[in-house]
Amino acid sequence: MTKPPMTKLKYGFIGAGRMATALAGGLVESEGASGQQIAASDPDKAIREAFAQAIPGALVTDDNAQVARNCSVVLLAVKPQVMETALASLALASSDGAGSDGSRPLVVSIAAGIPLRWLESHLPPGTRVIRVMPNTPCLVGQGASGYSLGSAATVADGQSVEQMLQAVGMTFKVPEPLLDGVTGLSGSGPAFVYSVIEALAEGGIEAGLPKEIADSLAAQTVAGAAKMVLEMGDSPAKLRDAVTSPGGTTLAGLQAMEQKGLGSALRAAVRAATLRARELGAKDEG
Ligand SMILES: NC(=O)c1ccc[n+]([C@@H]2O[C@H](COP(=O)([O-])OP(=O)(O)OC[C@H]3O[C@@H](n4cnc5c(N)ncnc54)[C@H](OP(=O)(O)O)[C@@H]3O)[C@@H](O)[C@H]2O)c1
């Protein structure tokens, strides 16, 4: 265990797993933060060692309260089911919980489905809290996330979290009820897109392509088309029209796809995931 520094570190992760490592890596690579500005706590020695290796210079410990005391932004990166235990272990309500310089940290939760009100009720009154809904492509710097401010969080708090999330992709500030829609679209969306890639590849295999080639062509086609939408600023409809000539191959494919109802299947998937997020959030409120 490394000794705590005298001055506050910038970012402290409670839970040093996959998302914490991805976010910390993004901060180091894109935001120019140094490992010395980052701390992480985790009960699992192997996870701590992996984090220390990924983020050289970071303070790594098994003591959550040490991270909370020594960081100005505390990121809760544990699974939702252990959140209550993790919050209790931060000791933010105790006399030394405010940290060595007297200030209290901004608390940022990336746990799926845990409402701001619940988080605030498990932290000392007046704690600045921000809730983020990230997605797995954060792990490769291509995340899409949404975030909402808690009742005591300031505009400046929002800006610093936004800067952090932009280091691993794009992000949007939304009112908290819309985080369910973010969960349904970009949170669960990677799984929907994996199904699309899988099905495209299967189509290629049926057309006689070897599996490795079909898999790569399918994934790269989805990545390339997404990049066209993001970078050219044209709507998907306009880009689709541009590659669909009368009597051509694409039109034949689109007609077959519409007949099978891909559009309505994907809309139903986002709707079902959003509803499920709403149900799970309501359970945590109760
Ligand atoms: N992965 C995603 O794509 C994704 C997307 C959106 C949101 N999220 C959210 O991100 C959060 C983290 O997900 P993840 O995939 O990074 O999980 P993860 O890899 O399992 O990392 C969580 C880590 O927290 C540790 N931990 C457990 N209890 C703890 C405690 N009391 N104090 C400190 N650390 C503790 C776990 O150790 P043990 O393994 O020993 O329990 C584990 O190493 C989750 O809340 C998830 O809902 C993830």
Side-chain angles (χ1 to χ4, degrees):
M1 189 161 77
T2 323
K3 269 188 90 176
M6 297 308 288
T7 51
K8 273 206 169 188
L9 300 170
K10 202 162 177 195
Y11 302 102
F13 292 86
I14 307 300
R18 291 181 316 151
M19 289 303 275
T21 308
L23 284 168
L27 288 168
V28 171
E29 268 176 39
S30 318
E31 220 201 293
S34 83
Q36 277 91 8
Q37 291 175 286
I38 293 171
S41 55
D42 201 290
D44 188 320
K45 187 164 179 273
I47 298 281
R48 288 199 300 276
E49 284 171 359
F51 189 94
Q53 199 171 13
I55 314 293
L59 181 157
V60 182
T61 172
D62 61 358
D63 180 1
N64 291 345
Q66 185 189 12
V67 169
R69 267 196 313 273
N70 288 292
C71 293
S72 47
V73 181
V74 170
L75 289 113
L76 305 170
V78 298
K79 295 282 187 211
Q81 54 272 26
V82 298
M83 185 60 84
E84 193 161 4
T85 316
L87 286 181
S89 69
L90 298 184
L92 288 176
S94 72
S95 51
D96 69 343
S100 43
D101 68 355
S103 62
R104 287 198 184 275
L106 166 67
V107 176
V108 179
S109 166
I110 63 164
I114 299 196
L116 281 164
R117 249 195 17 218
W118 186 94
L119 292 163
E120 288 175 339
S121 71
H122 286 75
L123 287 161
T127 303
R128 291 140 51 231
V129 184
I130 292 183
R131 178 180 163 200
V132 175
M133 182 59 215
N135 68 359
T136 33
C138 278
L139 303 171
V140 292
Q142 296 293 324
S145 60
Y147 71 94
S148 302
L149 304 190
S151 56
T154 65
V155 172
D157 290 335
Q159 284 164 346
S160 61
V161 166
E162 184 154 331
Q163 206 180 341
M164 181 188 81
L165 294 170
Q166 278 169 349
V168 288
M170 66 169 66
T171 190
F172 298 92
K173 181 165 114 180
V174 295
E176 189 179 25
L178 293 190
L179 278 185
D180 294 327
V182 173
T183 307
L185 174 52
S186 53
S188 303
F192 309 153
V193 176
Y194 300 141
S195 299
V196 168
I197 293 173
E198 197 173 46
L200 284 173
E202 282 163 7
I205 292 164
E206 280 170 24
L209 292 171
K211 184 173 170 9
E212 316 80 68
I213 294 180
D215 286 348
S216 298
L217 287 177
Q220 177 61 20
T221 300
V222 169
K227 214 167 158 124
M228 294 275 284
V229 173
L230 289 169
E231 291 185 2
M232 294 183 65
D234 289 333
S235 68
K238 189 169 174 200
L239 289 164
R240 186 173 57 234
D241 287 349
V243 290
T244 311
S245 37
T249 58
T250 308
L251 183 62
L254 282 172
Q255 283 170 340
M257 204 174 79
E258 273 317 304
Q259 225 175 7
K260 297 285 183 187
L262 179 77
S264 49
L266 287 174
R267 283 192 293 277
V270 174
R271 209 161 44 236
T274 302
L275 278 176
R276 185 67 186 135
R278 202 167 289 153
E279 277 168 15
L280 293 172
K283 213 172 69 193
D284 279 328
E285 287 272 34

